[in-house]
Every structure is written in C-alpha cells, then in structure tokens.
Amino acid sequence: MDAAAEHLANAGQERLILDAVDRFLERDVRPVVHALEAADTYPIAIVEKLKTLGLFGATIAPGFGGLGLAAVTYARIVERMSAVWMSVPGLFNSHLIMAAAVERNGTEEQKRRYLPRFAGGELRGGLALTEPDCGTDLQAISTRARREGDHYIVNGAKTWITNSAEGGILAVLVKTDPRAEPAHKGMSLLLIEKGPGFKVVRKLDKLGYRGIDTAELLFEDCRVPATNLVGTSEGRGLQQVLAGLELGRINVAARGAGLARACLEESLRYAQQRRTFGKPIAEHQAIQIKLADMATRVEAARLLVEHAARAYDAGGRCDLEAGMAKLYATEAALENSLEAMRIHGAYGYSKEFNIERYYRDAPLLAIGEGTNELQRIIIARELVKRNPA
C-alpha cells in the first residue's frame, strides 16, 4: 500500500471510531451526566460501554488486544468526550499510562501477562505517584519497597490516585534504595494488584471531576512478587513514569480543548437566545468580544494538542510539545469556563445548567499531570536544550 492509500485507510478507520464514540456519548453519556455527577456515582454502565468500544486498550498494540490508535486519534476521542463529561476519559487515561509503562519497559512475560487484560478492561487501574507530603517533587516520595527473597515488601501511603478504589491494579512508584544519590536512581515501578496489605483508606470528595474515583491508599507490609518490577532492574522507575506522562499530558490537554469547546458552544447558543435591551446579547459588543476570544482559544488549543500528539506518534520525547499543549489548553478551559459563566449570568451559577460544572471541572486540569507552573519550567528548559547558544 502506498503512502496516500495508507493515509486514506487510516482516515477512514479514524472516522468510524469517532462516529462510534459520538453515538456512545449521545446515547449513553449525555442523558445521565447530570444525575451521575451530582450524586458523585461511579459510572459502571459507562465503564462497560468503554470496554465494548475497546477504549481501555486504545493505545495498546493490536498484538496485545488493543486498538493501537495513534495519539492524534486518541486525543480527538478525549476532546469529544470531555465536551460532554470530562470524567469519562479519566476512566482510562491513567490506565493507559500504566499500560504504556508496561508496553515500553516491561519484560515479555509482563507484557503477555498484563496487556491483554488491560486492553479488554478486565483488569483496570492506573498510576500511583502522589503522596500526602509529595506531589510535583516525585524524588521526595517515601513509599518503600524492600526486597525479601522473591518478593518486595511495600510500606507507604499514596493519595489523589485515580481508578484506585474501583480498579484492581496500580503501577506504584516506590523507593527500592532510599540511600541512592541522586534519589531517582533508587526509584522503581511496581505493578501491585489488590490484596493483603493494599488498603483503600477513603474516597476523596472533590470540587469537580466527580463520578470517577480518586482515593487515598495505604500499603502495610504488602507483599509483591519480584516479577512485578517493571523492567529487568531497579532504579528505572522515574524515567519510566516520566515517559508515560507525555501521553497523560496530551490527554489532559485534549480534555482542556474539549471543555473549552463545550463552554464556547453553550455560550454561543445562549447568547443568541437571551435578549436584553431589545436584541439578542450576541449583538452586544461586550459579548461578541468574549465569544471571539473563547473561539480563538479553542482553535489554538486544538492545534497545540494535535502538534503534541503528532510529536508523540513520531516516537521521540515530546516534553516541550506536550507541556505547551497542556499549559495552553487547560488555561483555555479555565478562562472559557469563567467567561461562559459571565455570559450566562445567574443561569450559569445554577446547578440546573452545565456551566457551573465546567467551572468546577476546569481547575483540576491546571493541576493534574504536573501543575501549569511546572509546565512552564519544563518548556523553558526544553527550549534552552533545543536551542543552545
């Protein structure tokens, strides 16, 4: 198949997938969002539909039962979902980061044992990095894994872990050598399935991003087979995590683009229906300026997300591109959610409408997968690295 024919085939496959996602969102998500979000109820029926669509294996290679989607297609799926309910792509984002860590760094035995189960959604989970006293500074984690024969004994606490209460496995960042200098050389990634010593302490009550489970965890003398160390040697955990976070940041950026778009679309509709001083508010210059800025943010965010996804698909590191997309798209979501509320006025503040949900959901995007302050530092460092004087 020549390049042009391959491009057309890929475009056709993407169109089929996106159409299926759109139908799923309209039929199975939009009608229940308000009730599920208000009750903070885990969307079991939606999870089952995601399994049917194969999205727990979206980026996992077909050889392991996944769809093997390019990051560009994956980002478009995430944007669409986030425009309806931002919590839905959260059900598989950290799950796919965990899967990517295994697929990129795991042994052949680990890949055969776990990836097909991940792809089908039979075994779901995520990434456990954050601790009560440590977030952005991952080298400061204190969860320890001590080797005893053919097992590791894990002790420590993790918090703000998505898919931990309802999932069955986590890729947990631990210290296997607390004395190592620099600290990252003593850090490893362990696949820990639920069992004795793995305790979900409590589900966290959040401002937004509701429905999806986010919990506090405790590991007390948790015995983990040594064969669950990702890769073949200790001390590679931080590098394995950071590589996976590129995909996570593209996901969060796509969520930002989707949420920013939802704010724009609802504001456009409302501004043409709501009348003041004898005409639709869309005809008032003050509102027109807001709509123009909102639309420009959406288009710029989409382009940055696509650029980052293409860089990821090219196979190299894309910290710069993912950082830029994550920074801009999530700030666009924040700004558009506030402008949408101002355009809707009191209706935007009411829980009967979607705007207040967008306003509550958006701030998480500026924090998750590395704060936007951290993204600025990453961007600056990468700029210097790529453009030496």
Side-chain angles (χ1 to χ4, degrees), residues 252-268:
V252 172
R255 287 193 229 179
L259 188 55
R261 175 165 66 86
C263 292
L264 170 64
E265 289 174 350
E266 297 208 20
S267 296
L268 270 172

Side-chain angles (χ1 to χ4, degrees), residues 39 56 60 82 97 120 187 209 224-225 236 341 349 357 365 378:
F56 286 106
I60 297 173
S82 298
I97 297 174
M187 301 170 71
Y209 197 43
V224 182
R236 300 292 301 164
M341 184 165 286
Y349 206 65
R357 168 162 61 88
L365 298 174
I378 291 171

